[in-house]
Amino acid sequence: MPDPLVESPPTLPGEPVRRPVTPTPVLRFGSAWDYAPAPESVKVAIAERYGHFIGGRFVEPKGASVGSRESKEARIRDGARRGGGPRHFATVNPATEAVLSEVAQGSDADVDAAVRAAREALPKWAALPGVERAKYIFRIARRIQERARELAVLETMDGGKPIRESRDVDVPLAAAQFFYYAGWADKLAFAFPGARAPRPVGVCGQIIPWNFPLLMAAWKLAPALACGNTCVLKPAETTPLTALRLAEILREIDLPPGVVNIVTGDGRTGAAIAAHPGIDKIAFTGSTEVGKKIAMAVAGRESPPRLTLELGGKSPNIIFEDASIDQAVEGIIAGIYFNQGHVCCAGSRLFVQESVLDEVIAKLRVRLATLRVGDPLDKNTDVGAINSRAQLGTIERYLAAGEKEGAELHRVNGHPLPAKGYWCRPCFFTGVQPSHVVAREEIFGPVLAVMSFRTPEEAITRANNTPYGLAAGVWTDKGSKIFEIARHLKAGVVWLNTYNRFDPASPFGGFKESGFGREGGMQGLRAYVNL
């Protein structure tokens, strides 16, 4: 019986001829070739309990959120169940389910105290010469470099991502972001030619997600500080520890009290920041659903603050028949399985030209079999733990929905997964239709939807058939084609023969339901100045 991966079925008149596929051999050597464990040796000290960082020092929370819909009894009961009382909640290691620490639940009173501290610090910080602000920002970058291994381990323990990614991507890019904007602090007049001397916006409320906690903090804080603003930052409730460690760094470099304030908590804390009348600018990175709520709340105010949103995505990754297939398969892996798929710009929709579809799927299946899923603190690990139990449940619901709608789910089995923790093997769907839920909605997990196309025009139409517009990838060896395709894609960022590459000097952001505004580059300064 013919192997479907080797022999293509006969084509109808007018159909493109599919390229014969030679199966890629898989070498099997048994357990003798298994990777030996390579655990990270750095041990990180974590306090049993953390308060908020307000006015240059750690303070105890003032109480449960005033705006909470829960009753006082419910808040106390929930707090007692988590072991921290109504003013604290637990943050856990998603790979082991062990409690790492208890962090403060930010209330309206806590947010108000942080905003007042930022407002009090604003005049002196804004009046500092740019070169002096640059010195502080430069010190932050240097201290991040010096404590890089500690920060990487902490990021991995709190978020579940592999240590290799924390060590080689997150922490270096966070330091680079501060270095980059330290260089802009005394050159703002050159960033906006023809404008009068740029002035800071004021107090900035910044709400960041759980997929890149330290890096997102750097993306928000660095340009704001360079422009002379003061900040109130809220990290995600499941990954607050690197932001709190960053607070320690801010004290070490003697940043003036109140210039940066960090308030931890859940969505209620973020809502309190967005609604506070003392906030002049709101920057939010997170889901489109929450971004819409923030935009509606801001629009209804008499004097709305400035707003930038970096939201969800369902980004296309397009592979043409003239692409380097092996290189493109590596781009698929980087596009969707990096950080367990917890990436807003993940290439979660794969479009492959029909003539090479079977070849790409065959090589993707082989490549997936090499990915190691397991302990995030092991340097051999490629795919770590899903960030939380709730997110794992969301991913599993999408997997069930995809199969129910008729798509075929492909999982590559490897070594048994750990008994504890939140795990999802990298997988992909074939037979996906544009109407399927796995092709329309952001899953935020290691799940790829594979579809095909015949002509460049069809590829563009299908890629743009989404309410999102954050990123895209194009793979072809033809230079003219790659730029022509990129020109027609409705995405804020288009990667050409690569994917998920970032640089502090390059702006990032989307449009449509992926938000508005840019972070990074000279363009990232614009939202933090008045001209």
Side-chain angles (χ1 to χ4, degrees), residues 124-140 181-182 184-188 198 200 224-229 255:
K124 289 185 178 180
W125 179 251
L128 270 183
V131 68
E132 295 302 319
R133 290 199 302 271
K135 291 177 182 178
Y136 285 106
I137 302 170
F138 185 85
R139 289 176 201 153
I140 296 172
Y181 281 109
W184 272 114
D186 62 342
K187 305 176 185 66
L188 296 178
L225 297 179
C227 294
N229 302 279
L255 187 72

Side-chain angles (χ1 to χ4, degrees), residues 132-363:
E132 295 302 319
R133 290 199 302 271
K135 291 177 182 178
Y136 285 106
I137 302 170
F138 185 85
R139 289 176 201 153
I140 296 172
R142 287 290 294 146
R143 202 67 187 111
I144 288 175
Q145 286 185 325
E146 291 163 358
R147 301 180 67 170
R149 289 190 69 184
E150 170 193 0
L151 290 167
V153 172
L154 195 60
E155 195 79 299
T156 289
M157 292 177 66
D158 206 21
K161 66 177 60 187
I163 185 64
R164 288 191 303 164
E165 294 179 7
S166 300
R167 180 195 65 199
D168 299 341
V169 180
D170 292 41
V171 176
L173 281 178
Q177 198 78 8
F178 282 106
F179 276 127
Y180 177 78
Y181 281 109
W184 272 114
D186 62 342
K187 305 176 185 66
L188 296 178
F190 298 97
F192 310 101
R196 293 181 299 175
R199 305 177 310 281
V201 172
V203 176
C204 301
Q206 302 175 317
I207 305 167
I208 60 176
W210 44 259
N211 53 342
F212 295 93
L214 183 64
L215 180 56
M216 291 296 101
W219 277 27
K220 295 288 187 292
L221 292 174
L225 297 179
C227 294
N229 302 279
T230 55
C231 303
V232 177
L233 178 77
K234 191 202 87 70
E237 62 199 271
T238 60
T239 53
L241 295 185
T242 46
L244 295 169
R245 196 58 52 100
L246 180 61
E248 296 178 10
I249 289 175
L250 300 181
R251 288 200 304 183
E252 289 176 354
I253 62 105
D254 293 324
L255 187 72
V259 172
V260 173
N261 306 273
I262 299 175
V263 181
T264 56
D266 56 19
R268 295 170 294 177
T269 309
I273 292 174
H276 198 287
I279 295 290
D280 300 305
K281 198 269 180 186
I282 298 171
F284 172 77
T285 297
S287 70
T288 296
E289 179 185 4
V290 175
K292 288 180 178 180
K293 293 179 179 179
I294 292 176
M296 291 176 63
V298 167
R301 288 163 59 173
E302 184 176 345
S303 299
R306 189 173 296 184
L307 176 66
T308 54
L309 300 173
E310 197 265 280
L311 307 176
K314 195 69 179 175
S315 301
N317 210 357
I318 305 170
I319 299 178
F320 287 93
E321 61 185 357
D322 54 12
S324 172
I325 300 301
D326 290 334
Q327 179 187 1
V329 169
E330 291 305 309
I332 296 169
I333 299 296
I336 183 60
Y337 303 120
F338 173 69
N339 195 28
Q340 297 75 252
H342 299 334
V343 185
C344 54
C345 57
S348 53
R349 291 185 300 147
L350 178 64
F351 295 97
V352 185
Q353 198 154 16
E354 277 191 2
S355 58
V356 293
L357 178 62
D358 292 341
E359 180 182 2
V360 169
I361 290 177
K363 291 189 173 185

